[in-house]
Amino acid sequence: MGNVCCSDEHSEQRRRNEAIERVLNRDKKNARRELKLLLLGTGESGKSTFIKQMRIIHGAGYTPEDRKDFRIRVYENIYKGIRTLVEAMDNLHIEYEEEINAVRFHHHDNVVEISQSPISALRLFYWTPIP
């Protein structure tokens, strides 16, 4: 009887070992196909942009939630760019070609929070009547 018990234990161990070996071989195959890349660079050098581009080109793209977040960031960047240009024009004493633009840009210093209504901040510059 001792041999039957040992034989059952031995076959169970062999089965478990084979299952583990299959998992290890599968993981090894997957690891061979996987490419690891270390991106070095200073802040704002484009590391994240590179990863995002690879994700668009070779991956599944972006989820609707990701797109919504990026849309808000794009509007924020446009707004910040406009504000930076307006401030630079003021600092360098550069006059506007049309006086209405000077009034429009300076009238809307306190803009609505962009994350709440992204396009509203940009509309303030161009579509809001000036009092």
Side-chain angles (χ1 to χ4, degrees):
M1 290 230 176
N3 289 341
V4 173
C5 179
C6 290
S7 153
D8 288 342
E9 280 182 28
H10 184 59
S11 64
E12 176 62 23
Q13 288 176 349
R14 182 178 294 153
R15 186 189 64 74
R16 291 176 83 196
N17 184 52
E18 289 171 357
I20 290 170
E21 288 293 329
R22 278 193 303 273
V23 169
L24 288 174
N25 285 333
R26 186 188 69 223
D27 290 348
K28 190 175 182 180
K29 269 186 180 178
N30 290 340
R32 283 186 193 143
R33 285 188 257 153
E34 187 176 290
L35 176 66
K36 293 184 181 181
L37 180 66
L38 174 63
L39 294 175
L40 301 174
T42 60
E44 301 295 322
S45 66
K47 298 178 299 289
S48 296
T49 303
F50 176 78
I51 296 298
K52 290 173 188 173
Q53 289 297 322
M54 291 298 103
R55 191 169 158 196
I56 291 169
I57 294 169
H58 301 289
Y62 293 110
T63 66
E65 185 63 31
D66 287 340
R67 282 191 225 123
K68 181 180 176 186
D69 291 341
F70 289 137
R71 181 179 177 183
I72 291 171
R73 288 186 190 151
V74 166
Y75 285 125
E76 287 175 343
N77 287 339
I78 292 169
Y79 176 75
K80 287 177 185 176
I82 291 171
R83 290 299 325 150
T84 300
L85 290 172
V86 168
E87 289 171 14
M89 288 180 72
D90 290 344
N91 292 338
L92 297 172
H93 306 290
I94 298 172
E95 294 183 20
Y96 293 90
E97 285 185 24
E98 297 182 28
E99 188 59 31
I100 188 69
N101 289 333
V103 174
R104 176 170 280 132
F105 291 137
H106 293 288
H107 177 71
H108 298 295
D109 280 338
N110 299 320
V111 176
V112 178
E113 180 65 30
I114 292 178
S115 61
Q116 293 173 358
S117 180
I119 195 70
S120 65
L122 299 176
R123 283 185 178 155
L124 286 175
F125 283 126
Y126 295 104
W127 294 289
T128 305
I130 301 301

